[in-house]
Amino acid sequence: MIFKTDKSKSSLIIASHADSIIKDARSELKNPARRIFGKHMLTLGGIAMLSGCDLSSDLSVNTMLRRMSLLNDDTQGLIFDPRIMAPTYPESMIARPFPFNAFYDIDDVPVIDPVSYRLAVSGLVNGQKLWTLDELRAIPQVNQITRHICIEGWSAIGRWGGVRFSEFLRRCGADTTAKYVALHCADNYWTSIDMASALHAQTLLALTYDGDVLPPKYGFPIKLRVPTKLGYKNPKHIVAISVTNEYPGGYWENQGYNWFGGS
Ligand SMILES: Nc1nc2c(c(=O)[nH]1)N[C@H]1C(S)=C(S)[C@@H](COP(=O)(O)O)O[C@H]1N2
Ligand SMILES: [Mo]
């Protein structure tokens, strides 16, 4: 349960969030037909139940859930502890073959020419703005075996290698006090993450999968591997990165998936 935490500072902030969630939900539940829980039952637990009931076609309930999801993003951001590492696994646990997933079929995976490829960095940065693959490969690389969890109900352990994203952002002269890092992909997919997760020690700009050049289906030439977040927050075929304070949303996030997307 996300509202229980041993960090007393966050519990306090979360408790005040709980009040605003309830206030928000109450004002959304003006229609008597929707007062299904009654005044006294409109507790956090009751509100949580709303997401499981089948009023999801009701526009105002959707709006309410979206607002709750935004509050939920703040809460997840407060609870997120950059010192806590995602579990790592032995080589024997790597899934073979590792699953492929995208919003299209495997035959439509984008084809990217490694020679003309450039990674464009923009927004709140003052360092290098265009990167070739060789330049990315020249930055010290690390490897890690972690579990990828997809919201569609599967998970698999894999090994990704690449540049620590914090190191890459440092070399880009990124303003690490900015709120968001947005990532745009060759297939027009995009997502964005909070700066704390971008700077997490396990967040990698992955150039390899299981010791080989990242195959097209897993995101050639680069994917962001964020083992503290769900699969849809791990963009493949990245062509542009921007550092910004304006909420960038994302392909699935704009269709209702939770933005913080922690796993
Ligand atoms: N560019 C791009 N990145 C993407 C997606 C996509 O459709 N396009 N799908 C996301 C989702 S939902 C998942 S589960 C993972 C799947 O990655 P995999 O094919 O390496 O398993 O990629 C994520 N990153
Ligand atoms: Mo996914």
Side-chain angles (χ1 to χ4, degrees):
M1 178 66 184
I2 57 164
F3 295 100
K4 279 202 184 124
T5 165
D6 53 9
K7 286 183 280 166
S8 55
K9 189 177 150 234
S10 8
S11 326
L12 275 175
I13 304 167
I14 291 156
S16 70
H17 273 223
D19 284 337
S20 59
I21 291 171
I22 291 171
K23 221 175 106 205
D24 222 29
R26 279 219 177 101
S27 63
E28 286 290 338
L29 289 174
K30 275 178 229 123
N31 181 337
R34 262 186 235 118
R35 272 189 231 124
I36 46 179
F37 298 109
K39 204 174 167 195
H40 300 292
M41 280 194 63
L42 196 54
T43 60
L44 275 177
I47 292 167
M49 280 172 67
L50 269 178
S51 54
C53 77
D54 83 30
L55 288 169
S56 56
S57 58
D58 184 319
L59 189 65
S60 58
V61 171
N62 278 338
T63 307
M64 185 187 76
L65 291 174
R66 178 71 200 129
R67 285 188 195 165
M68 284 169 58
S69 181
L70 286 172
L71 288 166
N72 189 16
D73 288 336
D74 291 351
T75 309
Q76 289 182 68
L78 287 166
I79 292 172
F80 181 73
D81 184 339
R83 295 164 303 185
I84 295 175
M85 296 295 127
T88 55
Y89 300 89
E91 209 173 325
S92 60
M93 286 180 75
I94 295 176
R96 299 183 198 280
F98 189 84
F100 160 83
N101 193 30
F103 66 90
Y104 45 80
D105 208 71
I106 195 158
D107 300 329
D108 297 323
V109 164
V111 178
I112 293 172
D113 168 29
V115 178
S116 57
Y117 173 83
R118 296 289 180 277
L119 172 62
V121 183
S122 66
L124 304 170
V125 294
N126 61 21
Q128 187 169 343
K129 307 238 161 114
L130 279 181
W131 294 78
T132 65
L133 274 179
D134 282 343
E135 286 170 329
L136 294 172
R137 287 174 185 144
I139 306 174
Q141 311 278 307
V142 294
N143 262 276
Q144 64 200 16
I145 302 174
T146 51
R147 185 185 293 276
H148 171 113
I149 303 166
C150 174
I151 199 165
E152 290 169 48
W154 58 271
S155 84
I157 292 167
R159 171 163 52 187
W160 292 269
V163 177
R164 274 189 220 280
F165 200 41
S166 60
E167 175 60 22
F168 175 73
L169 289 174
R170 196 182 66 74
R171 290 178 187 228
C172 292
D175 174 359
T176 54
T177 68
K179 280 192 190 154
Y180 309 107
V181 179
L183 307 114
H184 299 268
C185 309
D187 55 5
N188 290 324
Y189 187 85
W190 88 102
T191 186
S192 53
I193 61 171
D194 53 294
M195 185 60 77
S197 298
L199 299 175
H200 187 277
Q202 287 173 309
T203 301
L204 297 187
L205 205 47
L207 293 150
T208 66
Y209 180 75
D210 205 11
D212 292 321
V213 172
L214 197 65
K217 62 181 173 179
Y218 302 144
F220 182 83
I222 48 172
K223 99 168 230 170
L224 192 72
R225 176 63 193 134
V226 193
T228 55
K229 288 194 188 287
L230 293 168
Y232 63 91
K233 308 295 294 184
N234 288 243
K236 308 192 283 187
H237 321 287
I238 302 166
V239 291
I241 293 176
S242 66
V243 177
T244 176
N245 281 315
E246 272 146 58
Y247 178 72
Y251 178 89
W252 287 119
E253 294 87 337
N254 289 13
Q255 298 176 60
Y257 281 8
N258 170 252
W259 178 76
F260 195 89
S263 60

